[in-house]
Amino acid sequence: MSSLSQLRERVYEANRELPRRGLVLYTFGNASGIDRERGVFVIKPSGISYENLTPDKMVVLDLNCRVVEGSLNPTSDTETHAVLYRAFPNIGGVVHTHSPFATAWAQAMRSIPCFGTTHADHVPGEIPCTSVMSANQIRGDYEEETGNQILACFRDRKLSPGDVEMVLVAGHGPFTWGKEAAEAVQSAVVLEEVAMMAWHTLAMAPDTPPMQRALLDRHYLRKHGKDAYYGQKPTKRDTGVSEDE
């Protein structure tokens, strides 16, 4: 089991990667990572610029959002991260940004159709957008209700968080996740790129239909299916088996 200091370091690096990838400005956005064995997660502190972040400034909380370690207030989106960790037991990291193209789709309250193979390599269909929050939800525990909107979207559409590692929150922006914080950042990068491509596709040809299902499935399954053949198979050295065995 890795130490909390190691998790702090990984979450710090994930947060620092967001501005490097052009996904955040100023203090927009946040990344977190969870230690399932300890039942705690680490997240960016609220309102601290990315330039001034250090691993020791990361905040450690339990899954009820009680601070376990750290002297700074956690990001205001903490409750949303916690909702996702509690509901999706196989994820290890969550990212929220206000990246321009993904946020534009969220503000338009539109899911992103799958127009081509770049999208299909990562998601087996459209990237969903949640429904609009009710006034009561907004007046209530807003950040927790944001997470609940994501859960309702996946439940209603019968989506798996293992297949679709990204979502748009209507009127707000994107959330992404992965097996660890670094993978959640990668999902955020992919989402922004796909959102940009989709926007340009519709700008050029507004009547473009989603790509044919057969090609979508072929591209997704060759990377993620049980008979996937994309990439390199692990060598004996990678699996810890001696070359002589």
Side-chain angles (χ1 to χ4, degrees), residues 1 4 75 92 137 216 218-219 234 242:
M1 183 168 62
L4 274 181
T75 174
Q137 287 175 309
L216 191 163
R218 182 59 188 259
H219 267 260
S242 168

Side-chain angles (χ1 to χ4, degrees), residues 35 110 148 154:
D35 183 326
R110 292 185 60 181
N148 290 338
F154 273 65

Side-chain angles (χ1 to χ4, degrees), residues 45-125:
S46 180
I48 303 297
S49 69
Y50 290 90
E51 294 82 2
N52 292 326
L53 282 181
T54 56
D56 63 290
K57 289 179 180 176
M58 299 296 108
V59 185
V60 183
L61 307 103
D62 65 21
L63 284 171
N64 293 312
C65 296
R66 293 185 293 251
V67 174
V68 175
E69 290 183 15
S71 58
L72 299 173
N73 293 328
T75 174
S76 57
D77 296 300
T78 294
E79 287 277 2
T80 309
H81 289 243
V83 168
L84 296 178
Y85 284 131
R86 292 194 298 262
F88 299 159
N90 293 322
I91 69 172
V94 174
V95 163
H96 171 52
T97 75
H98 292 266
S99 57
F101 283 95
T103 301
W105 282 89
Q107 290 178 169
M109 303 176 191
R110 292 185 60 181
S111 299
I112 305 175
C114 184
F115 289 125
T117 60
T118 307
H119 182 141
D121 280 341
H122 300 279
V123 180

